[in-house]
Structure formats: C-alpha cells, structure tokens
Amino acid sequence: MGAYIFRRLLLMIPTILGIMLISFAIIQFAPGGPVEQVIAQITGQGGAATDRISGGGGDLTQQNSSVSGGENTSKYRGAQGLDPEFIKKLEKQFGFDKPAWERFAMMIWNYSRFEFGESYFRDISVLALIKEKMPVSISLGIWITLISYSISIPLGIKKAVNDGSAFDVWTSGLIIIGYAVPGFLFAILLIVLFAGGSFWDLFPLRGLTSDNFDDLSILGKIADYFWHMALPLISLTLAAFATTTLLTKNSFLDEIKKQYVVTARAKGLNDRQVLYGHVFRNAMLIVIAGFPGAFISAFFTGSLLIEAIFSLDGLGLLGFTSIINRDYPVVFATLFIFSLMGLLVSLVSDLVYTWIDPRIDFDRRDV
C-alpha cells in the first residue's frame, strides 16, 4: 500500500502541472485581461471595480495625468490616448512585462511553496480572501453531504428491499422529478413562497447570520445560523440525494441476488439479519468510499447560483467574480488548491475502499 500511495503522490505532480499549463495557455488568448480592466475603468468603459491598482509610486490612475498627443499603438483595446509610460507601469504592476513562459514558471515555483500572492484588485492576500469565503462553502458542503446521505442510504435500502412495489415506483418518480428540476429554480420558488416574495416572510433572504449575531446566546446563534441556512440547503439538497439513492438501491439489489444471501437464508437467518449482517457491508462499499468525493463536489461546485440568489459570499461566487474581473492570482490559486484537494480526495477514496474491504489490494495492480 505504501508503494501505491507513493506512486499516486508522484503522479499528482504532472497532473497539476498539466492542469495549470492548459489553463494558463487558455487565459493568454482570453480578451479583457487585468490591464484592459484597469484601462476600461479609467476611461469610463466599465470593467472591474479596481479597489487596488496602485503601483510603487502611488495611484496609477492619478499618475496618468497626461495624454499622449501622438499616435498610440498600444496592443490594448481602449488604450488610445493614454500615456504609453502609464501602460508600461500597469504591465509591470501586473507582471505582464515578462514573457509568458517566465510568468508561468514563477507562478509554479511560488505555488509549490504555497505562496499565492495578493489579489490584483483587492488589498488582501489570496489565502486570506479564500479563508474569508470558507465559512459559507464549508457550511453548504458539510450539510448538503450529511443531509443527502442521511436521506439517500435509508431510502435506497428501502427501495431495494421493496423493488418493484408501489413505494419503489412512486419514490423513483419523485426522485427523477427532483433531479430534473434545477436547484436555482426551486430556490426562486422558495423565495417567492417563504422569503417575502408574494406569500410568507418566514426566512431571511441574504447572508449566513443576522446583524445582531454576536449579541445572541449560544442557542440563539445556532437557531439564527440554521434559520439562514434553511432555504439554501433545501434548494441544494433537492437534487443532491438522487444519485446516491439510486446507487444505494442498485448496489443492494446486486448483493441481494448473490449466492451467499441465498445460503444465509437457507441457514435460517431472517431478512433483517441477512440485510444488515451480510449484505450491508458489501453493498455499502461503493457508497461509503464515494463519501470524500461527494463532499468535495458539494464543497466546491454546484453552489454558485444558490450563493448568488441568497447573497451568500462563498467560494463559488468568489471564483466567478474573479474570472469576470480577470483577477488572475485568485483564479489560478483557487484552481491549484481545488485541483490538489481533488487529487488528494481521490487517493483518500481509494484508501477508504481498502479500509472497508481489506480484500482490495491496490499494490497488485497498476496505478
């Protein structure tokens, strides 16, 4: 097992390098980079809300007090009429005065030491920015995973035991409908019904906590937290448990039809003893082993629209706004961190397989 883990860890290096290289190459051809964002902000054409565009000699927007009188041959769209020296200072500030290969090599070297720099447009380090958004994403990821598994596993077992019954047919229909309805549409429906839309005003519409959260008692803080999380979690959970439910059902059905189950029943064991004494461990192998991956999936993906609808400032919204504003340090740092965590979780999932079923030995197969 040690050799397998070592090989997997080694393979993470070229995998992450490939992910970062492809993403970096694509970004080079994307229009509207950070320099153009600042130019657009200065010339009144829109762009990112540049709270931090200062260079070593002061605010670059103030330094651009003169306008070039001659023909401007700048490669940046919208830079006509701006001082070429000002453009060069912008390029130096954002690191675009260096060739692409040098910028990529420097980025990888810094990331290998977990130095992610600062945001282009916010006076804060990337790690501090990610840490600031983590509570929302952690809350959504943990609760969605726990709620979906607590619903999926019992429901999947019940459907497997009653395969083909009216209960199985009706629940399958409801699961398919729930899976087909986009979470953000259900979120809008919940807002209309319960958040002051057209009917009842029972739940808050924005934020993770109330303004007076610090003044509340312990029980009051817990109640306030779940009061704010209720509608977002319902919206995300609607479709989250469908796949796990069907996976659990199919896994149990496969095990129930095997010979050892027939033998156990022939020995006089009742259905409950057979189900939870023999079938459960084998059937739950694939479900439980997928738990780390399911958590990471819920943690990092699928919550962007929900965060936007309920004004929850989490990692999904951070990644989206960073891409829109071309805040490359945030974009690449989050990509690197999430890719690394995804690869590590994939390894953990394999190790969980061996923990649940010691008969699995990855050392006997190629990676």
Side-chain angles (χ1 to χ4, degrees):
M1 181 55 66
Y4 172 76
I5 295 175
F6 181 70
R7 292 199 304 270
R8 286 288 297 271
L9 291 174
L10 285 181
L11 281 173
M12 290 181 188
I13 298 175
T15 302
I16 287 191
L17 282 176
I19 293 172
M20 299 303 296
L21 179 60
I22 293 173
S23 302
F24 186 85
I26 292 174
I27 287 294
Q28 303 311 304
F29 298 99
V35 174
E36 290 175 296
Q37 292 284 317
V38 175
I39 292 173
Q41 185 76 8
I42 293 171
T43 57
Q45 300 175 15
T50 54
D51 297 328
R52 178 179 175 268
I53 53 174
S54 58
D59 192 338
L60 288 178
T61 59
Q62 295 178 359
Q63 292 180 24
N64 184 44
S65 56
S66 62
V67 177
S68 177
E71 183 181 356
N72 194 314
T73 59
S74 174
K75 61 182 178 181
Y76 298 106
R77 183 177 57 188
Q80 288 75 15
L82 296 180
D83 188 348
E85 290 300 319
F86 169 72
I87 302 298
K88 291 181 179 179
K89 290 178 180 178
L90 276 180
E91 290 180 330
K92 185 175 181 180
Q93 176 181 332
F94 293 121
F96 286 92
D97 57 329
K98 301 179 179 65
W101 67 267
E102 185 176 344
R103 284 186 279 121
F104 178 77
M106 185 180 301
M107 180 182 70
I108 295 299
W109 169 245
N110 291 333
Y111 285 8
S112 66
R113 297 175 294 155
F114 294 95
E115 295 180 2
F116 300 104
E118 294 190 351
S119 166
Y120 279 162
F121 304 119
R122 310 182 195 187
D123 193 13
I124 185 174
S125 69
V126 173
L127 284 180
L129 190 58
I130 293 175
K131 183 179 178 181
E132 179 184 308
K133 313 299 181 183
M134 286 285 276
V136 171
S137 296
I138 288 177
S139 296
L140 293 175
I142 289 177
W143 289 115
I144 292 168
T145 306
L146 292 179
I147 293 173
S148 64
Y149 266 71
S150 64
I151 296 173
S152 301
I153 293 176
L155 182 58
I157 295 174
K158 181 73 172 177
K159 286 172 63 63
V161 172
N162 298 277
D163 184 42
S165 66
F167 172 81
D168 180 41
V169 174
W170 281 104
T171 52
S172 295
L174 292 175
I175 288 172
I176 293 173
I177 292 173
Y179 186 74
V181 176
F184 71 91
L185 287 181
F186 194 66
I188 295 173
L189 175 62
L190 291 177
I191 290 174
V192 172
L193 292 176
F194 303 111
S198 301
F199 294 88
W200 302 281
D201 189 5
L202 303 178
F203 294 93
L205 187 57
R206 63 181 65 250
L208 198 61
T209 56
S210 300
D211 294 335
N212 63 337
F213 182 79
D214 294 333
D215 301 327
L216 299 175
S217 63
I218 297 297
L219 291 178
K221 289 180 178 179
I222 294 175
D224 183 75
Y225 169 77
F226 283 106
W227 184 46
H228 283 76
M229 290 296 297
L231 296 187
L233 287 179
I234 293 173
S235 304
L236 287 170
T237 306
L238 181 67
F241 68 90
T243 302
T244 309
T245 300
L246 297 178
L247 179 64
T248 303
K249 175 192 173 181
N250 293 333
S251 181
F252 270 81
L253 283 177
D254 288 341
E255 294 296 324
I256 288 172
K257 296 176 182 178
K258 291 184 177 179
Q259 184 61 42
Y260 74 88
V261 175
V262 177
T263 304
R265 284 175 175 163
K267 290 181 178 180
L269 298 180
N270 59 41
D271 289 342
R272 185 176 183 83
Q273 290 173 323
V274 172
L275 184 64
Y276 294 102
H278 294 76
V279 175
F280 187 84
R281 180 173 180 176
N282 294 327
M284 288 301 295
L285 174 63
I286 189 172
V287 178
I288 297 176
F291 183 87
F295 172 71
I296 290 296
S297 177
F299 185 62
F300 292 128
T301 63
S303 61
L304 169 59
L305 292 176
I306 300 300
E307 289 180 13
I309 290 172
F310 291 101
S311 300
L312 298 172
D313 196 7
L315 292 175
L317 200 56
L318 171 65
F320 176 74
T321 55
S322 299
I323 293 173
I324 294 298
N325 294 337
R326 303 299 193 270
D327 198 347
Y328 292 159
V330 179
V331 173
F332 287 120
T334 53
L335 176 65
F336 178 85
I337 294 172
F338 296 169
S339 299
L340 179 60
M341 291 189 67
L343 292 171
L344 290 174
V345 166
S346 176
L347 175 59
V348 170
S349 296
D350 286 347
L351 297 180
V352 171
Y353 272 109
T354 63
W355 175 64
I356 297 174
D357 189 351
R359 294 172 298 177
I360 299 176
D361 187 1
F362 287 107
D363 282 331
R364 295 183 180 180
R365 71 177 182 89
D366 296 330
V367 176

